[in-house]
Amino acid sequence: MHQFQILQPWIPHILTAIKKEIKNEHLPSAPAFHRTYFGSRPLNRLTTEELFQAYEKELSTGNQELCEWVISRWVFKHGDLYEHFAKRLSELNPNFEEIRQITEAQAEYILDGAAQAFGPINLYLFSILNGVVFPEVILTRLKEQADAAQKASACTAAKAQCVQQQIDERFMREALKEAKKAYAKDEVPVGAVLVHAGEIIARGHNQVELLQDATAHAEMLCITSAASAIGNWRLEEMTLYTTLEPCAMCAGALLASRVQRVVWAAPDLRLGANGSWVDLFALKHPMHKVSITGHVLEEEAAALMKSFFQEKRERAVVD
C-alpha cells in the first residue's frame, strides 16, 4: 500500500511540518501545479487551508514526484529521528540500508526511549515514511500510540480554544462598554480596548463628531492612548479588541504600531479591511503580521449599530 494511503489521516500533520518549504521551495518551482489548483492567484493570497487541501488532493492521486518531495523534506526536518534510527540500525548491521527484516526484539531495542524523545506521532510517521521494516505487530502498536497522542492533543487544543474564547468574550464586552459610551454621545457606536498580559492598558470609543476629525476612530484613539501610557509607539505583544471590523486606516495603524493580534465583533461591509471591503491583513507585510479573530460577540455589536442607525432614521423623519 502506498505510504500516503496508509497515512491519509496524518497528511495535514505532515504538511504542517513542511509548510515553509511548500511556500518557499515547491510552489515557486511548480507553475503547473500552481495553475491547476490556484489559477493566477498570487502565493501571498493563498490560505494555509487552501494549500493543504490542494496538496492532500494531489498526494491522493499518487503523484510519485510530489510524494518523494514531501517525504524527503519531512525526513530532513526530522534529522534527529533519522540519526537515532541510523545509530541503532547500524549496530545491528553496518550496512543497515540492506536490512530487509527486523525481529520484535530488535525493534524494541531500536524504539527504546524514542517515543519519549521524539513523540509517538513523529515516531510512527517516520517509521512509515522512511520505510522502516518493523514487524506488523510493532507498527500496529506505534499507530495506536500515535492515535492516542493525537486524541490527547486535540482535547488539549479544544480546551485551550475554549479558554481563549472566554478571554476574548470578556474583553470584547469591555469594548462594547466603550461603544455604548459613543452611542450615548450620538457617535457611531464603536469601542475598543488594548490588552497586554491580561490587563487593559487603553480604552477608546468613536469621537469623530465630537472632535470633527475623520481619523478619531475608536481603534486610533486606543492606539494613541496606549502608546502614551507605556511611552513607546511599539505595541508589541498586545491585542486590540474592537466592536467593528477595522477600516483601512485603522488596519494600517495596527500594522505600523506592531499590535500582535486583533479581535473584532461585527463586520463593516462598507469599509472593513479584513475581507468585507478589502483584506489588508491578508497581504504579506515585510516587517509584521497581525493575527486576526473575527465575529466575537457579533450579534451584540451588530444589534447596537442597528439600533443606533434606526434611531437616527426615526429622528430624521420626525424632524
Side-chain angles (χ1 to χ4, degrees), residues 252-284:
L254 290 162
L255 284 164
S257 59
R258 311 293 197 270
V259 168
Q260 184 178 52
R261 182 169 177 251
V262 173
V263 182
W264 54 265
D268 184 346
L269 302 181
R270 296 184 307 114
L271 294 172
N274 187 209
S276 294
W277 175 49
V278 295
D279 198 349
L280 296 183
F281 294 109
L283 299 176
K284 187 175 182 180

Side-chain angles (χ1 to χ4, degrees), residues 80-218:
D80 50 352
L81 250 174
Y82 180 85
E83 289 177 8
H84 171 87
F85 271 79
K87 182 176 183 295
R88 296 288 174 91
L89 286 167
S90 63
E91 292 172 9
L92 301 177
N93 183 342
N95 299 317
F96 63 85
E97 293 181 354
E98 298 177 1
I99 296 176
R100 294 292 176 265
Q101 189 173 2
I102 297 174
T103 67
E104 284 189 43
Q106 289 172 330
E108 295 291 358
Y109 170 70
I110 294 168
L111 294 172
D112 184 37
Q116 291 78 9
F118 310 111
I121 294 176
N122 285 337
L123 185 58
Y124 172 63
L125 295 181
F126 183 88
S127 300
I128 300 297
L129 291 174
N130 210 42
V132 181
V133 286
F134 283 139
E136 191 63 33
V137 64
I138 296 295
L139 286 175
T140 299
R141 192 182 76 196
L142 290 176
K143 182 179 184 304
E144 289 172 351
Q145 292 173 346
D147 286 340
Q150 187 182 46
K151 288 178 181 177
S153 177
C155 289
T156 301
K159 289 177 182 177
Q161 184 178 12
C162 182
V163 170
Q164 187 60 58
Q165 182 179 347
Q166 292 174 346
I167 292 171
D168 287 346
E169 289 184 359
R170 175 162 65 92
F171 286 120
M172 187 59 76
R173 294 195 188 283
E174 294 299 318
L176 282 166
K177 290 179 182 178
E178 292 297 315
K180 289 173 183 176
K181 292 178 183 177
Y183 195 127
K185 299 174 182 177
D186 204 26
E187 299 272 5
V188 175
V190 181
V193 296
L194 252 170
V195 176
H196 180 251
E199 299 291 334
I200 296 175
I201 64 163
R203 295 173 175 270
H205 56 269
N206 188 23
Q207 297 186 51
V208 169
E209 299 299 333
L210 176 66
L211 301 177
Q212 285 299 293
D213 181 356
T215 69
H217 287 193

Side-chain angles (χ1 to χ4, degrees), residues 44-93:
N44 62 3
R45 299 304 299 271
L46 303 178
T47 66
T48 298
E49 184 180 2
E50 289 174 320
L51 285 173
F52 283 9
Q53 286 176 350
Y55 276 81
E56 188 168 351
K57 185 175 181 180
E58 188 65 20
L59 288 168
S60 68
T61 68
N63 182 325
Q64 191 62 32
E65 184 179 352
L66 180 60
C67 289
E68 290 175 0
W69 184 88
V70 169
I71 290 171
S72 67
R73 290 300 183 276
W74 192 91
V75 171
F76 181 78
K77 291 273 285 193
H78 296 81
D80 50 352
L81 250 174
Y82 180 85
E83 289 177 8
H84 171 87
F85 271 79
K87 182 176 183 295
R88 296 288 174 91
L89 286 167
S90 63
E91 292 172 9
L92 301 177
N93 183 342

